[in-house]
């Protein structure tokens, strides 16, 4: 194991826990001591939780030996895993030395997140034995490992490494050498898009994250996740993806770059999109600290169907169950006008058709389970008065839903944020880089998604996603939202990505 930092110490731990002898190599004594201390601390935690005994821990530690230098450490190894910092020059130097020190049949694997495995291989005398073995952070916990072959790899290498991954109790997916492999291009494009939505004032940071968690069912909001990964790290990965794959989805959002430049790199700096003070988390931007005035829920509302009759019927029963009267237009007296909204249709048209457009708010209920919405998207037009937004937010709270405010643009907030991500996954299937099943496995095991993006897309319906993306593209002109041809084909045929 070369490099015993964040990733290397975790990888060394799982190898030793599986009964393998591990030789660790670090740049200097201090780094070695730090890496071994992290490894001990992780094992101590497992002991404290009752997952290991003290005797198990002692046996695991006994399998780990520190070597005096790279050549001495690597000489007898069957497999070398490199996890030094994400720097091509540094990795090239390490692989050059390994090439001379190892047996010709030793497999040399890199844990790189975004650099070219092929370029590393090509710099060695035996390029066919160089592969990628991309673990996720924290390595002892995350179940996914991307096994990367290059055009120079013989067929057996990936299979050997996949066998090892399975023996470590993890799930391999085998992929070719393309920047970021499966997970990082999908994840980082989506996170970057969320920063753009914040940057242009589309929604507040709290609402963006709430739409992803309550509205889509993801374990974390995109901005909180960026703070966790580190804004500097995320910026470097985006730049590497942009350099190789091009396209506007990887062009770093200006706000991401500015925050990283300012040293506001997220949790590790105490501030990124949020401020982290001991136990509490606050929004770091002033616009997020402006809360809606606590408002009484209205006693009656006028509900406009706007072509969404079943939706309006559901809303009517939910609102009346909460003790709020619902009238249909053209009722004159009401505290609030609600428009039953759908993401492919503009609320403004319905608002203009009523007597006081400033009192009209669109309402769109979303959630990971269609039958049980968890979040109300409150759609505000440029005419909507603040008092109407407050009243709609109070109504949402009264009917037991969280709420976010969103502009009257195609997709509103949750779909505008997540459908381009689903489209990216569809494009990856279309390009033949990975199967729909592998992509779903990768996002579930690598990012903790409860469902993979293609299963999500199938559940929403390819035709629905296609309609919203087409409307997003038509209204913004951004080529990033052009629907994948394969998505359009599934929509036309009524077929699914996952069989
Ligand atoms: P890190 O900075 O925590 O650790 C790198 C370690 O390599 C340091 O301890 C450093 O002293 C050591 N090192 C540097 N030069 C060395 C040399 N010549 N010989 C031996 N050791 C040397 O980095 P990290 O976050 O563990 O990342 C390592 C690799 O894993 C990178 O390629 C990164 O892209 C990839 N990766 C990181 C994550 C993550 O979330 N951190 C996730 C997946 C993959």
């Amino acid at each position: 194991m070369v490099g015993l930092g964040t990733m290397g110490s975790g990888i060394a731990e799982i190898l030793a826990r599986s009964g393998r002898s591990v030789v660790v190599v670090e740049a200097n004594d201090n780094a070695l001591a730090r890496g071994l201390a992290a490894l001990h601390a992780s094992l101590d935690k497992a002991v404290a939780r009752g997952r290991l005994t003290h005797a198990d821990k002692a046996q695991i530690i006994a399998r780990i030996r520190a070597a005096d230098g790279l050549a001495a450490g690597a000489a007898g190894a069957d497999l070398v895993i490199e996890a030094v910092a994400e720097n091509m020059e540094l990795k090239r130097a390490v692989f050059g030395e390994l090439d001379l020190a190892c047996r010709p049949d030793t497999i040399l694997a890199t844990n790189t997140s975004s650099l070219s495995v092929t370029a590393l291989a090509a710099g060695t005398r035996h390029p066919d034995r160089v592969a990628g073995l991309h673990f996720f952070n924290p390595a002892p916990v995350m179940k996914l490992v991307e096994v990367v072959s290059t055009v120079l790899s013989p067929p057996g290498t990936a299979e050997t490494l996949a066998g090892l991954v399975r023996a470590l109790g993890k799930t391999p997916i085998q992929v070719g050498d393309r920047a970021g492999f499966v997970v990082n291009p999908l994840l980082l494009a989506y996170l970057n898009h969320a920063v753009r939505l914040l940057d242009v004032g589309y929604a507040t940071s709290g609402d963006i994250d709430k739409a992803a968690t309550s509205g889509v069912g993801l374990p974390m909001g995109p901005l909180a996740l960026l703070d966790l990964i580190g804004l500097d790290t995320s910026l470097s990965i985006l730049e590497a993806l942009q350099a190789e794959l091009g396209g506007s989805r990887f062009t770093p959002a200006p706000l991401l770059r500015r925050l990283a430049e300012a040293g506001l790199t997220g949790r590790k700096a105490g501030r990124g999109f949020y401020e982290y003070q001991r136990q509490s988390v606050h929004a770091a931007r002033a616009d997020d600290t402006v809360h809606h005035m606590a408002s009484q829920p209205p006693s009656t509302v006028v509900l406009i169907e706007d072509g969404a009759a079943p939706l309006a019927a559901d809303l009517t029963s939910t609102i009346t169950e909460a003790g709020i009267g619902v009238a249909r237009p053209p009722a004159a007296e009401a505290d609030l006008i609600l428009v039953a909204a759908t993401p492919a249709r503009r609320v403004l048209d319905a608002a203009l058709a009523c007597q006081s457009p400033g009192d009209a708010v669109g309402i769109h209920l979303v959630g990971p389970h269609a039958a049980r919405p968890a979040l109300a998207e409150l759609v505000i037009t440029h005419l909507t008065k603040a008092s109407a937004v407050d009243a709609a937010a109070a109504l949402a709270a009264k009917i037991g839903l969280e709420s976010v405010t969103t502009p009257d643009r195609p997709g509103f907030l949750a779909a505008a944020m997540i459908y381009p991500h689903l489209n990216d996954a569809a494009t990856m299937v279309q390009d033949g880089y990975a199967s729909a099943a592998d992509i779903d496995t990768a996002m579930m095991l690598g990012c903790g998604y409860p469902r993979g993006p293609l299963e999500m897309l199938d559940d929403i319906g390819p035709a629905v996603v296609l309609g919203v993306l087409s409307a997003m593209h038509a209204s913004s002109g951004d080529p990033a939202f052009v629907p994948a041809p394969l998505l359009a084909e599934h929509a036309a045929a009524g077929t699914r990505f996952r069989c």
Side-chain angles (χ1 to χ4, degrees):
M1 185 70 237
V2 185
L4 214 56
T6 308
M7 294 306 293
S9 61
I11 299 168
E13 178 189 332
I14 48 183
L15 289 165
R17 283 174 83 149
S18 77
R20 287 166 176 80
S21 303
V22 186
V23 182
V24 296
V25 180
E26 251 296 351
N28 55 56
D29 289 346
N30 280 346
L32 178 65
R34 241 191 344 260
L36 290 174
L39 204 154
H40 274 268
S42 173
L43 290 173
D44 285 340
K45 214 189 264 176
V47 172
R49 289 185 179 159
R51 298 205 177 118
L52 283 181
T53 64
H54 286 284
D56 293 334
K57 181 191 163 189
Q59 282 183 353
I60 293 165
I61 293 295
R63 291 188 200 110
I64 300 173
R65 169 172 75 80
D68 194 10
L70 187 57
D78 299 318
L79 166 68
V80 178
I81 304 177
E82 166 278 313
V84 304
E86 189 77 338
N87 175 309
M88 192 47 133
E89 290 318 306
L90 177 60
K91 286 191 193 284
R92 275 217 171 103
V94 167
F95 273 76
E97 216 177 315
L98 288 173
D99 195 26
L100 297 175
C102 294
R103 300 190 313 258
D105 63 332
T106 302
I107 297 178
L108 307 183
T110 173
N111 189 50
T112 182
S113 303
S114 54
L115 299 176
S116 163
V117 180
T118 314
L120 276 176
T124 67
R125 282 179 311 165
H126 305 96
D128 54 332
R129 58 160 164 178
V130 176
L133 207 48
H134 184 224
F135 288 82
F136 287 74
N137 187 12
V141 178
M142 300 307 281
K143 290 285 175 222
L144 180 71
V145 181
E146 291 173 314
V147 175
V148 186
S149 306
T150 74
V151 286
L152 303 164
S153 309
T157 305
E159 212 26 75
T160 304
L161 291 174
L164 168 72
V165 169
R166 281 189 282 268
L168 297 176
K170 298 193 181 290
T171 303
I173 59 163
Q174 296 184 29
V175 291
D177 184 22
R178 199 168 91 164
F181 321 121
V182 170
V183 171
N184 276 335
L186 292 179
L187 181 67
L188 267 296
Y190 149 66
L191 300 181
N192 192 38
H193 176 50
V195 181
R196 285 216 193 99
L197 293 179
L198 177 67
D199 208 3
V200 299
Y202 193 97
T204 63
S205 49
D207 279 1
I208 286 172
D209 279 356
K210 212 191 289 176
T213 51
S214 302
V216 182
L218 298 180
M220 271 184 111
L223 303 173
L225 181 55
L226 278 164
D227 275 356
L228 187 69
I229 297 172
L231 273 51
D232 48 348
T233 308
S234 305
L235 184 62
S236 316
I237 301 175
L238 276 169
E239 284 171 342
L241 293 169
Q242 165 73 24
E244 180 158 329
L245 303 172
S248 62
R249 293 279 284 160
F250 303 116
T251 305
L255 178 61
L256 181 69
R257 192 180 288 285
R258 294 289 168 270
L259 288 170
E261 281 170 352
L264 304 176
T265 53
R267 272 178 194 244
K268 60 188 170 188
R271 184 173 161 191
F273 293 105
Y274 297 95
E275 262 178 28
Y276 301 86
Q277 294 162 348
R278 295 216 172 94
Q279 299 300 319
S280 65
V281 179
H282 300 284
R285 282 165 59 113
D287 58 352
D288 262 18
T289 59
V290 180
H291 295 296
H292 291 299
M293 303 288 289
S295 168
Q296 286 298 321
S299 52
T300 48
V301 298
V302 167
L303 183 66
I304 300 174
E305 267 185 20
D306 195 30
L311 207 68
D314 283 353
L315 267 172
T316 304
S317 52
T318 310
I319 295 170
T320 46
E321 274 164 26
I324 299 171
V326 177
R328 290 297 163 100
E333 285 303 310
D335 305 325
L336 174 68
I337 301 168
L338 283 180
V339 178
T342 55
R345 222 175 147 101
R346 211 163 61 168
V347 167
L348 181 67
D349 303 308
L352 288 175
C354 66
Q355 278 174 349
S356 48
D359 292 324
V361 177
I363 182 164
H364 180 241
L365 305 189
V366 288
H369 309 288
R372 268 185 293 122
L375 182 75
E377 293 185 307
L378 305 177
V379 187
I380 52 180
T381 73
H382 68 289
L383 302 173
T384 308
K385 293 191 252 174
S387 57
V389 182
D390 291 344
L395 175 136
K398 178 87 179 164
I399 61 176
L401 296 177
E402 293 199 83
S403 62
V404 294
T405 54
T406 168
D408 186 19
R409 303 275 159 69
F412 304 141
L413 182 51
M417 185 160 62
I418 216 74
Y419 287 9
H421 181 45
L422 308 185
N423 192 42
D424 291 342
T427 304
M428 196 179 263
V429 176
Q430 173 189 285
D431 291 352
Y433 182 62
S435 69
D438 275 356
I439 292 171
D440 279 357
T441 301
M443 297 311 284
M444 289 166 73
L445 300 183
C447 304
Y449 282 24
R451 283 176 303 165
L454 294 154
E455 194 183 336
M456 253 187 250
L457 199 165
D458 282 340
D459 289 349
I460 298 163
V464 174
V465 176
L466 176 73
V468 171
L469 282 170
S470 304
M472 287 174 71
H473 180 234
S475 86
S476 68
D478 189 338
F481 306 139
V482 172
L486 184 62
L487 172 65
E489 285 154 23
H490 277 293
T495 45
R496 299 167 61 87
F497 281 85
R498 300 291 306 271
C499 301

